[in-house]
Amino acid sequence: MSERFDCFYCRDSLQGKKYVQKEGRHCCVKCFDKICANTCIECKKPIGADSKELHFKNRYWHDTCFRCVKCYKSLVDEPFAKDNKVWCGDCTTAEDAPKCKGCFKPIIAGDQNVEYKKMVWHKDCFTCSQCKKVIGSGSFFPKGDDFYCVSCHENKFAKTCAKCKNPITSGGLTYQEQPWHSECFICSNCKKQLGGKRFTAVEDEFYCVECYKACVAKKCAGCKNPITGFGRGTSVVNYEDESWHDYCFKCTRCARGLANKRFVRHDGKIYCAECPKRH
C-alpha cells in the first residue's frame, strides 16, 4: 500500500494532480493561490501558481505588471531604476531620476548605487569623509552628515589603548581614567587578564594577587608570609628596612601588640617599653 501524498492545507490527495512546493510543504494549486501566493505590488492581486513572478528587494510583480511607471514598457529582462516605483532607461531622465547625494547628478537605470536612510549615491560617489576612498558597498560608520570607512573611524574616534596605543573598537576597560584593551590589561608575571579581578599596581606594572604574593610583596619580619594589603592585616608597620603585618608587630617577651605604641629594639628583637625593665 503506497503512502498518501496530500495537500498540506486541505489534505486532498495530490496523486496525479498539479501541485506547488513552498517552504518544504506541498500544496494544491487552489491552496497555493489562496494561502501562499505573494501579492503583486502593482495590481495588488495574488501571483498564482500559473503566473510568472518577478521580485526585487522583497517586492513582487506579475511578469505582465513589471513595467515602467511612465511609459508602461515591459521591464522583464530590461535594465531599470527604482525610486519606490520602477522606470525604464528611456524614462529615467534628469527630472525623474533620484539624485546622487555626492555629485547631485541623476542615477539612471543600470547605475550601481548605495542607499542609506532614504538617501542614494552612485557607488563611486559614496566615499569616506576622511580619506576620500570609495566605500561602495563596504562597511562604514555614519557621524552626523559624514561617513567614515572602518580604518578612518578607528583612527579618528576610537579610544587608544594605554599599552599598545592601538584603537579600542569594542569592549575594553578603564583604569585611572585610561582606556585599555582587555587583552592588554594583564598581570606582568603570569600574563593572565586582570579585568574584573583583584590586582596590585607596582611602579606601572600590574600583578594578580597570587603573583604579587609570590614575586613582589615584602615578607613579614614576624611570620615570614607576604604582606599583600588584602584581607586581614591591611595595615603595615615599617621600621629600619623591615616590615610587619600590624598583628605580627608585637613584643617578643609578652606578645603584646605594638602597632602605634612605644617599643624598644634590642639584639634585633622587638619589646614593649616595659619588658626590658623586667628581670
Side-chain angles (χ1 to χ4, degrees), residues 212-228 241-245:
Y212 180 75
K213 288 180 180 179
C215 306
V216 183
K218 292 182 178 181
K219 301 300 187 291
C220 175
C223 68
K224 309 305 181 185
N225 291 320
I227 301 174
T228 63
D241 297 327
E242 289 188 298
S243 300
W244 290 258
H245 296 106

Side-chain angles (χ1 to χ4, degrees), residues 202-271:
V202 180
E203 296 179 354
D204 297 327
E205 299 287 344
F206 305 106
Y207 298 89
C208 64
V209 174
E210 292 74 16
C211 289
Y212 180 75
K213 288 180 180 179
C215 306
V216 183
K218 292 182 178 181
K219 301 300 187 291
C220 175
C223 68
K224 309 305 181 185
N225 291 320
I227 301 174
T228 63
F230 301 117
R232 184 187 174 208
T234 55
S235 296
V236 181
V237 177
N238 295 298
Y239 179 70
E240 292 186 352
D241 297 327
E242 289 188 298
S243 300
W244 290 258
H245 296 106
D246 59 348
Y247 56 84
C248 291
F249 192 66
K250 54 190 177 182
C251 177
T252 304
R253 179 173 293 176
C254 70
R256 178 193 298 179
L258 298 178
N260 298 318
K261 295 181 181 179
R262 293 177 58 199
F263 65 90
V264 176
R265 188 164 192 175
H266 181 68
D267 292 335
K269 295 180 180 181
I270 302 297
Y271 298 92

Side-chain angles (χ1 to χ4, degrees), residues 87-112:
W87 308 74
C88 69
D90 294 334
C91 291
T92 307
T93 63
E95 179 181 353
D96 300 320
K99 302 298 190 295
C100 172
K101 186 73 173 176
C103 68
F104 305 106
K105 295 180 181 179
I107 297 175
I108 62 175
D111 284 346
Q112 290 185 309

Side-chain angles (χ1 to χ4, degrees), residues 7-279:
C7 172
F8 177 83
Y9 297 99
C10 68
R11 299 302 179 188
D12 285 350
S13 174
L14 296 177
Q15 294 290 346
K17 297 181 181 179
K18 184 177 180 180
Y19 66 90
V20 181
Q21 181 177 349
K22 185 170 183 179
E23 297 179 353
R25 298 169 178 173
H26 301 88
C27 58
C28 64
V29 173
K30 183 178 179 181
C31 287
F32 177 85
D33 291 351
K34 183 178 180 181
I35 301 172
C36 302
N38 294 311
T39 300
C40 176
I41 196 71
E42 182 65 27
C43 69
K44 312 303 181 185
K45 295 179 180 179
I47 304 173
D50 294 325
S51 300
K52 185 177 180 181
E53 177 183 274
L54 296 173
H55 69 275
F56 179 72
K57 290 189 176 181
N58 296 321
R59 304 174 76 189
Y60 301 87
W61 291 262
H62 292 100
D63 62 336
T64 54
C65 293
F66 192 64
R67 56 194 178 184
C68 174
V69 69
K70 189 169 185 179
C71 70
Y72 299 105
K73 173 185 177 181
S74 174
L75 296 178
V76 178
D77 299 324
E78 293 288 335
F80 63 92
K82 183 184 83 69
D83 182 18
N84 293 323
K85 295 188 177 183
V86 289
W87 308 74
C88 69
D90 294 334
C91 291
T92 307
T93 63
E95 179 181 353
D96 300 320
K99 302 298 190 295
C100 172
K101 186 73 173 176
C103 68
F104 305 106
K105 295 180 181 179
I107 297 175
I108 62 175
D111 284 346
Q112 290 185 309
N113 60 76
V114 176
E115 294 183 38
Y116 178 74
K117 288 189 175 181
K118 297 182 180 181
M119 297 182 289
V120 62
W121 293 258
H122 292 107
K123 187 176 181 180
D124 290 341
C125 292
F126 190 60
T127 60
C128 174
S129 299
Q130 182 79 11
C131 68
K132 307 304 179 184
K133 291 183 180 178
V134 175
I135 297 174
S137 57
S139 298
F140 66 92
F141 293 88
K143 286 286 185 181
D145 294 330
D146 295 324
F147 300 90
Y148 296 90
C149 65
V150 174
S151 177
C152 288
H153 182 267
E154 289 181 356
N155 293 331
K156 187 175 180 67
F157 297 104
K159 293 181 179 179
T160 301
C161 176
K163 182 175 182 180
C164 70
K165 308 306 180 185
N166 291 322
I168 301 173
T169 57
S170 63
L173 52 86
T174 300
Y175 174 69
Q176 292 187 342
E177 299 183 355
Q178 288 187 312
W180 301 71
H181 289 113
S182 296
E183 58 271 23
C184 290
F185 196 69
I186 58 176
C187 174
S188 296
N189 186 59
C190 68
K191 308 306 179 185
K192 291 181 180 178
Q193 293 187 20
L194 297 176
K197 300 178 181 179
R198 293 195 305 172
F199 66 92
T200 298
V202 180
E203 296 179 354
D204 297 327
E205 299 287 344
F206 305 106
Y207 298 89
C208 64
V209 174
E210 292 74 16
C211 289
Y212 180 75
K213 288 180 180 179
C215 306
V216 183
K218 292 182 178 181
K219 301 300 187 291
C220 175
C223 68
K224 309 305 181 185
N225 291 320
I227 301 174
T228 63
F230 301 117
R232 184 187 174 208
T234 55
S235 296
V236 181
V237 177
N238 295 298
Y239 179 70
E240 292 186 352
D241 297 327
E242 289 188 298
S243 300
W244 290 258
H245 296 106
D246 59 348
Y247 56 84
C248 291
F249 192 66
K250 54 190 177 182
C251 177
T252 304
R253 179 173 293 176
C254 70
R256 178 193 298 179
L258 298 178
N260 298 318
K261 295 181 181 179
R262 293 177 58 199
F263 65 90
V264 176
R265 188 164 192 175
H266 181 68
D267 292 335
K269 295 180 180 181
I270 302 297
Y271 298 92
C272 65
E274 300 299 324
C275 281
K277 300 176 183 180
R278 298 171 185 170
H279 297 284

